[in-house]
Amino acid sequence: MPSTRILLAAGVAIAPIFLAIALAQMALRPGFDITRHAVSSLTNGDLGWVQTLNFVVTGALAILFAVGVVPSSPSSPHASCSPAASSETRGHGPSTPWSRDCWQPY
C-alpha cells in the first residue's frame, strides 16, 4: 500500500490536474465558451474521451486522498469531535452528551 504522504499528495494534485486538462480543452475546442457552456459539456464530441478520462483520474485521486486521510487522523478521542460540538460546550448552543470541548484537555 502506498505511504500516507503519497495518498495525501494525490489530494493536492486533484485541482491542478483537473484545471490544466480542462483549460487546455477549452482553448483547443472550437466554439467552446465557458460563459455559455459547462465544463462537463467537454465530454461531448470526438474528443469527449479526454474530459471523461479527466473526471475518472481526478475521481480516483480523490478516493486515494480519502484513504490517506484516515491513517493521518489522530487516534485520540479528539478525532471524533467536530467544531460544532466544541462551540456547543462554550455556551453557543444546547449541551448534549456527545458535545465536549474537543480542543481542551480533559
Side-chain angles (χ1 to χ4, degrees):
M1 179 162 196
S3 73
T4 302
R5 180 168 282 196
I6 292 171
L7 293 171
L8 295 176
V12 173
I14 294 170
I17 289 172
F18 183 85
L19 269 172
I21 294 171
L23 288 173
Q25 288 186 90
M26 288 179 210
L28 298 174
R29 291 278 187 103
F32 184 84
D33 182 9
I34 191 64
T35 61
R36 294 183 314 147
H37 302 107
V39 173
S40 61
S41 67
L42 291 169
T43 59
N44 298 328
D46 293 339
L47 295 175
W49 66 270
V50 176
Q51 186 60 28
T52 301
L53 186 63
N54 191 15
F55 285 135
V56 170
V57 168
T58 54
L61 289 173
I63 291 170
L64 290 173
F65 174 71
V67 169
V69 166
V70 173
S72 68
S73 299
S75 60
S76 70
H78 304 293
S80 62
C81 291
S82 69
S86 180
S87 68
E88 288 177 355
T89 61
R90 293 193 176 113
H92 300 292
S95 181
T96 59
W98 57 87
S99 65
R100 61 186 187 274
D101 194 347
C102 302
W103 316 118
Q104 299 295 324
Y106 289 92

